[in-house]
Amino acid sequence: MPYKRKRGSKIQWVGQIRIGDRRETRVFETKKKAKEWESERREELTNPEPPAETNQLEETIPSISCHKWATRYLSFCVRKYVPKVVSEKRNVFSRFNKAIGPDEDASALTLKQILAYMENQERSGHAINKDLKNLQAAYNWGIKYLGLKAPNPFALIDRLPEERVDRYVPPEAEFWKVYEKAKGQDKVLLLFFLHTAARRGEVYKLKWSDIDFWSRKIRLGTRKNKDSSMEYVWIPMTEILAETMEGHKKTALSSEHVFVQPSGRRKGQPYTENRGFPQDVCEKAKVKPFGCHAIRHLTASILAQNNVPMKVIQEILRHKKLSTTEGYVRGLESVRPHLELLKGGLKKKAVQKPSKKKKASGGVH
């Protein structure tokens, strides 16, 4: 049976039929037209006419609603991505399906619909472009596994202009002010982030079995690769960090995880997130708040300022591309020595070309 829906001030009637696993919908201005289409289309599908005498048959694309597409894709994402990424993708589909309609045929999405979704949001260009990137990835998955119609319409949409704001990275002196104000496990965490340049997820999933005190090494695991599988790497541990971690192990709550929640109903359990750290400590130290990832940038900046080769910094940060590492270096201190070559201007004087001497005229008089 057709159902009614409202689009702004306009009333629409959606005809729908289902034959087995196949479902089709179409929008009409009146309920009567929607019912007529349902009857005619059901007859076509249950008693199809023999194909015309031609060597080619029209390709049939299955009708898959935006809701079903989202549900299937998010179920896949739960097994592949961390909860934070899954939550981001779920929020994208929530906004998109609310604007487009969960019953819309995903294969029939138009560029006009997608562009309207982007333009009707009161969010930054960067945030909307992130939605576009996630929807493009989801549609590519749908083409591969659900039979959605190619080409990918989200890939054909131009990105919106962005006003990117650089991540705030604290001066080294302000980091140490925060470190002095921190207490207990927070103090250990700050030093661990600085001395390992580890990502937040790598730190909070760390277990004591990942720390080799004898060889002074730490094993970090990340999913920052193409298929999101876990990848482990051993990194060296500085002497001061080793001593700090040995002391932390003696006072830490009994757990296989190195860093656990110190209080509350999840006391002793590993962090899923650690809201307010280290921003709350920054406020106590009366410095501009910064996040955990900013400390990773700070480590890279300190190394660059001390003339550590960029290739070595890349290995410490464990980046696949050198260009990513170069983006972490703050203040362009690595190029300062080269700019000093310009001091005093050009030292070589321009070489003047010898003037041509006129030949004496030796004509017959």
Side-chain angles (χ1 to χ4, degrees):
M1 286 289 293
Y3 64 90
K4 182 170 61 174
R5 71 179 185 187
K6 190 174 182 181
R7 285 291 182 269
S9 60
K10 188 176 181 181
I11 301 298
Q12 298 176 335
W13 286 91
V14 182
Q16 56 179 343
I17 61 166
R18 187 185 296 276
I19 305 294
D21 293 333
R22 184 191 181 105
R23 181 176 180 272
E24 290 188 16
T25 61
R26 185 165 295 182
V27 179
F28 298 90
E29 295 181 354
T30 65
K31 183 178 182 180
K32 181 180 179 181
K33 290 183 179 180
K35 290 183 69 174
E36 290 175 352
W37 173 83
E38 286 182 348
S39 177
E40 293 173 359
R41 188 59 180 147
R42 188 176 289 106
E43 179 67 21
E44 290 176 2
L45 294 177
T46 53
N47 300 296
E49 295 181 1
E53 294 181 2
T54 176
N55 293 329
Q56 294 182 344
L57 295 177
E58 184 179 352
E59 181 183 4
T60 301
I61 303 297
S63 176
I64 298 174
S65 69
C66 286
H67 174 72
K68 184 176 181 180
W69 165 43
T71 302
R72 295 284 299 276
Y73 178 64
L74 290 173
S75 296
F76 166 78
C77 291
V78 168
R79 300 191 299 270
K80 183 175 182 181
Y81 300 112
V82 297
K84 183 178 179 181
V85 174
V86 177
S87 178
E88 177 184 305
K89 292 178 180 292
R90 184 177 289 112
N91 290 337
V92 171
F93 269 113
S94 177
R95 287 189 291 268
F96 183 75
N97 284 345
K98 184 177 180 180
I100 301 297
D103 295 321
E104 284 291 320
D105 185 349
S107 286
L109 290 171
T110 65
L111 299 184
K112 184 177 180 180
Q113 286 177 301
I114 299 171
L115 188 60
Y117 163 73
M118 296 172 65
E119 292 178 340
N120 291 336
Q121 296 188 60
E122 296 181 357
R123 301 164 67 221
S124 68
H126 175 62
I128 297 172
N129 287 337
K130 283 184 68 177
D131 280 13
L132 185 63
K133 181 194 71 172
N134 279 303
L135 290 166
Q136 181 178 336
Y139 199 94
N140 282 335
W141 183 89
I143 292 175
K144 185 174 182 179
Y145 295 106
L146 301 181
L148 294 185
K149 184 179 178 180
N152 187 334
F154 297 96
L156 303 176
I157 296 289
D158 294 329
R159 292 167 61 88
L160 297 181
E162 296 185 14
E163 293 183 6
R164 300 294 293 270
V165 178
D166 288 340
R167 182 189 301 274
Y168 172 68
V169 178
E172 187 179 355
E174 293 196 358
F175 170 84
W176 290 114
K177 285 182 182 179
V178 175
Y179 178 79
E180 291 301 324
K181 280 289 182 180
K183 297 180 180 179
Q185 182 175 254
D186 286 350
K187 206 178 191 76
V188 179
L189 274 167
L190 285 168
L191 193 69
F192 192 94
F193 277 115
L194 184 70
H195 280 241
T196 62
R199 302 176 180 92
R200 182 172 54 184
E202 296 170 337
V203 175
Y204 290 146
K205 66 167 66 83
L206 193 72
K207 298 181 179 180
W208 287 112
S209 58
D210 295 319
I211 299 181
D212 185 344
F213 287 104
W214 178 260
S215 301
R216 294 296 195 252
K217 293 188 302 183
I218 300 172
R219 187 177 73 155
L220 298 176
T222 182
R223 295 186 185 275
K224 298 285 284 188
N225 46 54
K226 190 173 183 180
D227 62 358
S228 296
S229 58
M230 187 64 73
E231 180 179 309
Y232 292 96
V233 61
W234 286 94
I235 66 170
M237 181 165 47
T238 62
E239 193 61 36
I240 186 172
L241 181 60
E243 294 174 1
T244 301
M245 297 308 296
E246 286 174 342
H248 175 60
K249 188 173 184 180
K250 294 177 182 178
T251 59
L253 295 173
S254 177
S255 172
E256 64 175 343
H257 286 87
V258 177
F259 300 107
V260 296
Q261 300 189 39
S263 59
R265 61 186 182 85
R266 291 181 57 85
K267 180 179 179 180
Q269 297 184 36
Y271 285 102
T272 53
E273 58 182 343
N274 190 4
R275 291 186 179 180
F277 177 81
Q279 291 86 349
D280 291 346
V281 191
C282 292
E283 292 183 7
K284 294 179 182 179
K286 297 181 179 181
V287 303
K288 184 176 179 178
F290 56 85
C292 295
H293 204 75
I295 304 176
R296 181 171 161 86
H297 285 254
L298 176 60
T299 300
S301 182
I302 293 173
L303 294 172
Q305 290 173 23
N306 285 275
N307 299 318
V308 175
M310 198 63 64
K311 194 69 178 175
V312 176
I313 300 177
Q314 179 189 3
E315 292 179 6
I316 293 171
L317 298 181
R318 290 162 291 121
H319 285 149
K320 302 293 184 183
K321 298 180 180 179
L322 184 60
S323 58
T324 307
T325 304
E326 291 169 344
Y328 273 57
V329 177
R330 312 299 298 181
L332 299 179
E333 292 297 329
S334 59
V335 305
R336 187 181 299 278
H338 303 288
L339 292 175
E340 292 295 334
L341 296 175
L342 301 176
K343 186 176 181 180
L346 297 176
K347 295 181 179 180
K348 293 183 179 181
K349 294 181 178 180
V351 179
Q352 296 181 352
K353 294 182 179 180
S355 59
K356 295 181 179 179
K357 295 182 180 180
K358 294 182 179 180
K359 294 182 179 179
S361 58
V364 178
H365 297 284

